[in-house]
Amino acid sequence: MNTVVDTALIQALDSAHFLHPFTDFKDLATRGARVITKAEGIYVWDSEGDKMLDAMSGLWCVNVGYGRKELADAAHHQMMTLPYYNSFFQTTNVPAVRLAAKLAELAPKVGERSFQHVFYSCSGSESNDSNVRMVRRYWDLLGQPQRKVIIGRLNAYHGSTMAGASLGGMSGMHAQGDLPIPNITHIGQPYFFENGLPGENAVDFGLRAAGWLETKILEIGADKVAAFIAEPIQGAGGVIIPPPSYWPEIQRIVDKYGILLISDEVICAFGRLGTWFGYEKFGYKPDLVTFAKAVTSGYVPLGGVMVGDRVAKVLIEKGGEFNHGYTYSGHPVACAVALANIEIMEREQLPQRVRDDIGPYLAKRFVEIGAHPLVGAAETCGFMAGLVLVKDKQGMERFAESLSVGMICRGHCFKNGLIMRAVGDRMIIAPPLTMTHAQIDEMIALILHCLDLTFKEIKKNGWLA
Ligand code: PXG
């Protein structure tokens, strides 16, 4: 396929017509967007022919890697058979049904709770909107309409719709558009590096951070709290991995007050943590599980909510008509691609591979990253990882936010053929789950090289302690 494009022309049309997400439009127009033209395996190419190792799987999506013919074939076949039909008026379609059954089979039962039902959407944001609708309907049907408040966490990301951005705890998003919407509130995140007290160990911190949920519930009044929403690991917030004591304590608290638990697994599901779902990794029992992204490895948009028995039973038995849904709920092409994607994941045993092979190997290699003079802490979980850039490794002093050290590092990464994401002073990765050991070595060498270049630049600027 001819992927040669006139970069200047595309950039000019881009700035003339395309408003990008989370972008300073005027600034991008002066720089010109990088034009990505093709991808294969773990690499992407831009219109200048530069090849980059994509350590972010697109945007936490492409778990099976790029260029999978099976996924294109599944889409082609489904488009020629039934490209679209709605699932509103007592109709259904085969891929949507088969995928729902497959997801119910993959989602592990926790205690007495299982996930037999799926509500489909096209994205993580929409799925979380559906969660808000389902949670509030659930409590209404149980005769507790006063249970409206959903508690999220600061620095969490749950999407960009009104409800998604409200559930999330991104201050920059709340600052625009009068968010959060009413009856959504937040507690702190379990970020030990930032919030641990002097002398406090990670386990004690995890218990303390979970305790913020109980404090908030009591402050609001337990009878007014509908649900708590959290990502197993905060992804967009910078790969914030909670201490092992955190999730069991959260579970104890939600159980004590009977509130629903929503696990937003848009990033953590489909093998990322070495399990099919993130709650499995941490051993907690959600009532609703949000998914999107890697369900199709990002090849086509699809999202949804796994609805646990507790909620499903009430919605089905007592609910009557549920006045909520999307034109593309259960889109046959998206569901067919998801089925083919899951087939690849099963055949190549990608969750097991992350758990037993490439996850531990990444963790081992990340020890070297942690030893770099610019790195204060480096952690992995499954096949995602984060590190924090520090001014002084001994005293763990951080850089002023205004210096944008993460963006400097990201710049070196781009120039050197590595796509790594910067979140403030954290650098993060979530590569395709198909990576070989040799490719992990290649990525680690690139990360170390880019850290060296960043260190040199920061030293030259006189910013080190
Ligand atoms: N929940 C979580 C946990 C997510 O990570 C969403 C919901 C929203 O999904 P949609 O499909 O509506 O985008 C996400 C999305 C980043 C970044 O900068 C992360 C996401 C989206 C955009 C940017 O890391 N995650």
Side-chain angles (χ1 to χ4, degrees):
M1 198 195 304
N2 182 9
T3 53
V4 176
V5 298
D6 179 339
T7 305
L9 173 67
I10 294 296
Q11 287 176 333
L13 290 172
D14 182 80
S15 57
H17 302 293
F18 184 1
L19 298 177
H20 290 245
F22 285 89
T23 297
D24 177 334
F25 309 130
K26 204 196 276 183
D27 176 68
L28 182 64
T30 62
R31 294 164 194 272
R34 184 185 301 274
V35 185
I36 304 297
T37 50
K38 64 170 187 174
E40 181 61 40
I42 62 162
Y43 302 99
V44 300
W45 283 260
D46 68 16
S47 54
E48 300 298 284
D50 291 328
K51 176 183 175 184
M52 289 167 284
L53 189 158
D54 183 7
M56 275 311 294
S57 304
L59 199 49
W60 322 87
C61 296
V62 190
N63 285 15
V64 301
Y66 297 99
R68 294 288 194 150
K69 187 169 178 302
E70 273 169 274
L71 301 194
D73 288 346
H76 180 258
H77 176 76
Q78 189 56 45
M79 281 189 189
M80 296 309 291
T81 313
L82 178 72
Y84 175 73
Y85 200 75
N86 74 72
S87 46
F88 277 55
F89 310 119
Q90 301 176 1
T91 57
T92 194
N93 69 77
V94 178
V97 172
R98 283 188 50 223
L99 179 62
K102 185 74 205 176
L103 290 170
E105 176 197 317
L106 291 176
K109 197 170 173 207
V110 274
E112 70 291 356
R113 303 182 194 176
S114 76
F115 296 89
Q116 294 302 318
H117 296 87
V118 178
F119 193 91
Y120 287 118
S121 74
C122 293
S123 69
S125 302
E126 285 178 355
S127 304
N128 282 327
D129 275 51
S130 297
N131 275 328
V132 174
R133 299 291 300 275
M134 281 192 272
V135 161
R136 295 204 172 141
R137 181 84 183 127
Y138 169 84
W139 288 116
D140 282 352
L141 290 168
L142 288 183
Q144 298 187 53
Q146 80 288 351
R147 283 212 192 232
K148 291 262 185 282
V149 180
I150 303 179
I151 302 172
R153 300 185 298 188
L154 299 174
N155 197 38
Y157 192 79
H158 296 300
S160 201
T161 50
M162 294 295 277
S166 297
L167 294 168
M170 298 284 177
S171 53
M173 294 175 81
H174 290 174
Q176 298 179 356
D178 299 326
L179 302 178
I181 56 173
N183 289 314
I184 291 176
T185 186
H186 303 84
I187 59 170
Q189 59 177 338
Y191 185 15
F192 182 52
F193 185 82
E194 185 163 286
N195 301 117
L197 297 172
E200 188 179 37
N201 65 37
V203 170
D204 288 345
F205 170 71
L207 294 174
R208 187 164 66 84
W212 297 332
L213 177 60
E214 189 156 26
T215 307
K216 182 62 92 179
I217 292 170
L218 295 174
E219 181 190 310
I220 297 164
D223 63 329
K224 295 194 179 62
V225 180
F228 175 60
I229 182 167
E231 303 158 74
I233 291 175
Q234 294 198 160
V239 181
I240 309 295
I241 304 169
S245 54
Y246 183 76
W247 272 112
E249 181 65 1
I250 290 287
Q251 184 70 56
R252 185 192 68 77
I253 295 166
V254 294
D255 285 348
K256 180 171 171 190
Y257 297 99
I259 69 176
L260 294 170
L261 177 57
I262 309 169
S263 186
D264 184 343
E265 310 212 351
V266 167
I267 284 175
C268 292
F270 301 105
R272 178 60 59 200
L273 304 186
T275 47
W276 281 101
F277 289 92
Y279 69 84
E280 217 180 322
K281 168 83 183 174
F282 291 103
Y284 60 93
K285 306 177 198 164
D287 298 295
L288 296 152
V289 178
T290 319
F291 64 89
K293 294 189 188 275
V295 64
T296 60
S297 283
Y299 280 55
V300 289
L302 179 67
V305 180
M306 300 295 301
V307 185
D309 299 342
R310 177 179 172 195
V311 174
K313 209 167 153 214
V314 171
L315 294 183
I316 294 166
E317 298 300 330
K318 296 180 186 265
E321 183 170 332
F322 183 44
N323 299 323
H324 174 69
Y326 310 104
T327 299
Y328 299 122
S329 289
H331 194 288
V333 177
C335 293
V337 172
L339 282 164
N341 176 57
I342 289 170
E343 224 172 277
I344 292 176
M345 291 179 165
E346 285 187 312
R347 190 176 66 232
E348 299 181 4
Q349 302 194 322
L350 294 184
Q352 296 90 322
R353 191 165 183 268
V354 167
R355 189 191 61 203
D356 302 333
D357 179 7
I358 57 170
Y361 188 63
L362 180 72
K364 188 172 143 214
R365 296 296 327 260
F366 242 70
V367 173
E368 290 160 59
I369 304 272
H372 192 278
L374 198 55
V375 175
E379 282 175 293
T380 71
C381 184
F383 216 48
M384 65 201 281
L387 61 89
V388 56
L389 302 171
V390 289
K391 189 171 174 169
D392 166 24
K393 201 175 170 83
Q394 253 57 53
M396 289 294 171
E397 194 187 339
R398 292 169 81 175
F399 291 101
E401 211 178 310
S402 57
L403 298 179
S404 301
V405 285
M407 294 309 276
I408 292 175
C409 185
R410 191 184 78 160
H412 286 295
C413 294
F414 266 129
K415 269 187 234 139
N416 287 277
L418 172 68
I419 300 179
M420 200 173 178
R421 177 117 160 55
V423 181
D425 56 7
R426 294 184 66 79
M427 300 302 298
I428 59 177
I429 57 165
L433 312 184
T434 52
M435 262 194 170
T436 62
H437 284 225
Q439 287 171 333
I440 294 173
D441 291 342
E442 181 189 339
M443 176 179 72
I444 296 288
L446 278 169
I447 295 173
L448 286 170
H449 179 57
C450 295
L451 286 171
D452 284 345
L453 293 172
T454 309
F455 187 77
K456 270 191 207 141
E457 181 172 342
I458 286 175
K459 194 170 172 190
K460 204 176 82 196
N461 293 349
W463 294 348
L464 288 176

mmCIF file of all heavy atoms in Angstrom, residues 50 91 128 170 222 226 242 249 252 294 306 312 335 359 374 414 422 431 435 458:
data_model
loop_
_atom_site.group_PDB
_atom_site.id
_atom_site.type_symbol
_atom_site.label_atom_id
_atom_site.label_comp_id
_atom_site.label_asym_id
_atom_site.label_seq_id
_atom_site.Cartn_x
_atom_site.Cartn_y
_atom_site.Cartn_z
ATOM 1 N N ASP A 50 10.019 8.108 9.357
ATOM 2 C CA ASP A 50 10.651 7.769 10.642
ATOM 3 C C ASP A 50 9.888 6.644 11.329
ATOM 4 O O ASP A 50 8.658 6.708 11.466
ATOM 5 C CB ASP A 50 10.694 9.005 11.558
ATOM 6 C CG ASP A 50 11.667 10.056 11.043
ATOM 7 O OD1 ASP A 50 12.688 9.661 10.429
ATOM 8 O OD2 ASP A 50 11.400 11.258 11.221
ATOM 9 N N THR A 91 -34.444 -6.539 18.473
ATOM 10 C CA THR A 91 -33.624 -7.258 17.487
ATOM 11 C C THR A 91 -32.239 -7.451 18.079
ATOM 12 O O THR A 91 -31.839 -6.754 19.011
ATOM 13 C CB THR A 91 -33.480 -6.469 16.169
ATOM 14 O OG1 THR A 91 -32.919 -5.193 16.473
ATOM 15 C CG2 THR A 91 -34.796 -6.309 15.459
ATOM 16 N N ASN A 128 -18.893 4.760 30.921
ATOM 17 C CA ASN A 128 -19.028 5.313 32.272
ATOM 18 C C ASN A 128 -20.293 6.149 32.418
ATOM 19 O O ASN A 128 -20.877 6.211 33.504
ATOM 20 C CB ASN A 128 -17.763 6.091 32.655
ATOM 21 C CG ASN A 128 -16.648 5.132 33.048
ATOM 22 O OD1 ASN A 128 -16.913 4.063 33.604
ATOM 23 N ND2 ASN A 128 -15.415 5.487 32.754
ATOM 24 N N MET A 170 -9.440 14.861 37.131
ATOM 25 C CA MET A 170 -8.436 15.696 36.472
ATOM 26 C C MET A 170 -8.815 17.166 36.657
ATOM 27 O O MET A 170 -9.826 17.618 36.085
ATOM 28 C CB MET A 170 -8.365 15.355 34.975
ATOM 29 C CG MET A 170 -7.941 13.922 34.684
ATOM 30 S SD MET A 170 -6.166 13.768 34.928
ATOM 31 C CE MET A 170 -5.911 12.016 34.619
ATOM 32 N N ALA A 222 -23.743 7.680 54.719
ATOM 33 C CA ALA A 222 -23.671 6.413 53.976
ATOM 34 C C ALA A 222 -24.934 6.162 53.155
ATOM 35 O O ALA A 222 -24.872 5.563 52.087
ATOM 36 C CB ALA A 222 -23.428 5.268 54.947
ATOM 37 N N ALA A 226 -23.977 6.147 46.391
ATOM 38 C CA ALA A 226 -24.415 5.115 45.448
ATOM 39 C C ALA A 226 -23.281 4.175 45.068
ATOM 40 O O ALA A 226 -23.480 2.957 44.987
ATOM 41 C CB ALA A 226 -24.971 5.775 44.189
ATOM 42 N N PRO A 242 -1.382 0.930 43.146
ATOM 43 C CA PRO A 242 -1.675 1.019 44.587
ATOM 44 C C PRO A 242 -0.876 -0.017 45.386
ATOM 45 O O PRO A 242 -0.586 -1.097 44.867
ATOM 46 C CB PRO A 242 -3.172 0.712 44.657
ATOM 47 C CG PRO A 242 -3.452 -0.127 43.462
ATOM 48 C CD PRO A 242 -2.485 0.312 42.390
ATOM 49 N N GLU A 249 -8.744 -3.279 51.469
ATOM 50 C CA GLU A 249 -9.369 -2.340 52.413
ATOM 51 C C GLU A 249 -10.541 -1.597 51.741
ATOM 52 O O GLU A 249 -11.590 -1.386 52.366
ATOM 53 C CB GLU A 249 -8.298 -1.356 52.927
ATOM 54 C CG GLU A 249 -8.790 -0.338 53.938
ATOM 55 C CD GLU A 249 -9.261 -0.928 55.269
ATOM 56 O OE1 GLU A 249 -9.203 -2.167 55.452
ATOM 57 O OE2 GLU A 249 -9.718 -0.137 56.125
ATOM 58 N N ARG A 252 -13.406 -3.940 51.816
ATOM 59 C CA ARG A 252 -14.016 -3.998 53.161
ATOM 60 C C ARG A 252 -14.963 -2.811 53.357
ATOM 61 O O ARG A 252 -16.090 -2.959 53.838
ATOM 62 C CB ARG A 252 -12.911 -3.978 54.236
ATOM 63 C CG ARG A 252 -13.428 -4.154 55.654
ATOM 64 C CD ARG A 252 -12.377 -3.856 56.717
ATOM 65 N NE ARG A 252 -12.001 -2.444 56.788
ATOM 66 C CZ ARG A 252 -12.723 -1.489 57.360
ATOM 67 N NH1 ARG A 252 -13.895 -1.778 57.907
ATOM 68 N NH2 ARG A 252 -12.305 -0.233 57.379
ATOM 69 N N ALA A 294 -8.704 -2.152 24.396
ATOM 70 C CA ALA A 294 -8.097 -3.413 23.954
ATOM 71 C C ALA A 294 -9.107 -4.524 23.695
ATOM 72 O O ALA A 294 -8.711 -5.601 23.239
ATOM 73 C CB ALA A 294 -7.055 -3.875 24.957
ATOM 74 N N MET A 306 -19.455 -4.618 31.888
ATOM 75 C CA MET A 306 -19.828 -5.946 32.368
ATOM 76 C C MET A 306 -20.695 -5.710 33.600
ATOM 77 O O MET A 306 -20.238 -5.098 34.574
ATOM 78 C CB MET A 306 -18.591 -6.750 32.791
ATOM 79 C CG MET A 306 -17.569 -6.985 31.700
ATOM 80 S SD MET A 306 -18.180 -8.016 30.375
ATOM 81 C CE MET A 306 -18.612 -9.505 31.250
ATOM 82 N N ALA A 312 -27.514 -6.534 37.674
ATOM 83 C CA ALA A 312 -28.298 -7.068 36.556
ATOM 84 C C ALA A 312 -29.646 -7.590 37.038
ATOM 85 O O ALA A 312 -30.689 -7.339 36.416
ATOM 86 C CB ALA A 312 -27.516 -8.178 35.853
ATOM 87 N N CYS A 335 -18.131 -5.905 17.201
ATOM 88 C CA CYS A 335 -18.189 -7.137 18.003
ATOM 89 C C CYS A 335 -17.479 -8.288 17.284
ATOM 90 O O CYS A 335 -16.813 -9.109 17.928
ATOM 91 C CB CYS A 335 -19.643 -7.496 18.328
ATOM 92 S SG CYS A 335 -20.415 -6.298 19.433
ATOM 93 N N GLY A 359 5.972 -10.017 31.461
ATOM 94 C CA GLY A 359 5.759 -9.123 32.612
ATOM 95 C C GLY A 359 6.945 -9.190 33.570
ATOM 96 O O GLY A 359 7.568 -8.163 33.878
ATOM 97 N N LEU A 374 18.398 10.004 37.157
ATOM 98 C CA LEU A 374 17.262 10.930 37.030
ATOM 99 C C LEU A 374 15.961 10.317 37.545
ATOM 100 O O LEU A 374 14.937 10.980 37.621
ATOM 101 C CB LEU A 374 17.118 11.296 35.537
ATOM 102 C CG LEU A 374 16.311 12.525 35.148
ATOM 103 C CD1 LEU A 374 16.828 13.767 35.863
ATOM 104 C CD2 LEU A 374 16.353 12.731 33.630
ATOM 105 N N PHE A 414 10.712 10.881 21.186
ATOM 106 C CA PHE A 414 10.220 10.998 19.805
ATOM 107 C C PHE A 414 11.378 11.083 18.818
ATOM 108 O O PHE A 414 11.408 10.398 17.808
ATOM 109 C CB PHE A 414 9.319 12.239 19.649
ATOM 110 C CG PHE A 414 7.854 11.931 19.815
ATOM 111 C CD1 PHE A 414 7.063 12.682 20.682
ATOM 112 C CD2 PHE A 414 7.260 10.911 19.089
ATOM 113 C CE1 PHE A 414 5.704 12.412 20.833
ATOM 114 C CE2 PHE A 414 5.903 10.630 19.229
ATOM 115 C CZ PHE A 414 5.135 11.381 20.105
ATOM 116 N N ALA A 422 4.343 11.130 28.629
ATOM 117 C CA ALA A 422 4.731 11.922 29.798
ATOM 118 C C ALA A 422 3.467 12.369 30.516
ATOM 119 O O ALA A 422 2.526 12.845 29.888
ATOM 120 C CB ALA A 422 5.529 13.143 29.359
ATOM 121 N N PRO A 431 3.232 -1.222 26.476
ATOM 122 C CA PRO A 431 3.495 -1.712 25.107
ATOM 123 C C PRO A 431 2.572 -2.864 24.703
ATOM 124 O O PRO A 431 1.919 -3.480 25.556
ATOM 125 C CB PRO A 431 4.948 -2.221 25.191
ATOM 126 C CG PRO A 431 5.460 -1.832 26.548
ATOM 127 C CD PRO A 431 4.266 -1.641 27.424
ATOM 128 N N MET A 435 5.241 -8.291 22.520
ATOM 129 C CA MET A 435 6.686 -7.988 22.490
ATOM 130 C C MET A 435 7.544 -9.203 22.824
ATOM 131 O O MET A 435 7.242 -9.942 23.766
ATOM 132 C CB MET A 435 6.994 -6.910 23.526
ATOM 133 C CG MET A 435 7.072 -5.538 22.965
ATOM 134 S SD MET A 435 7.850 -4.460 24.198
ATOM 135 C CE MET A 435 8.085 -3.036 23.177
ATOM 136 N N ILE A 458 18.903 18.664 31.185
ATOM 137 C CA ILE A 458 18.494 19.270 32.463
ATOM 138 C C ILE A 458 19.721 19.798 33.222
ATOM 139 O O ILE A 458 19.692 20.871 33.819
ATOM 140 C CB ILE A 458 17.706 18.223 33.285
ATOM 141 C CG1 ILE A 458 16.311 18.054 32.664
ATOM 142 C CG2 ILE A 458 17.596 18.603 34.745
ATOM 143 C CD1 ILE A 458 15.469 16.982 33.294
#
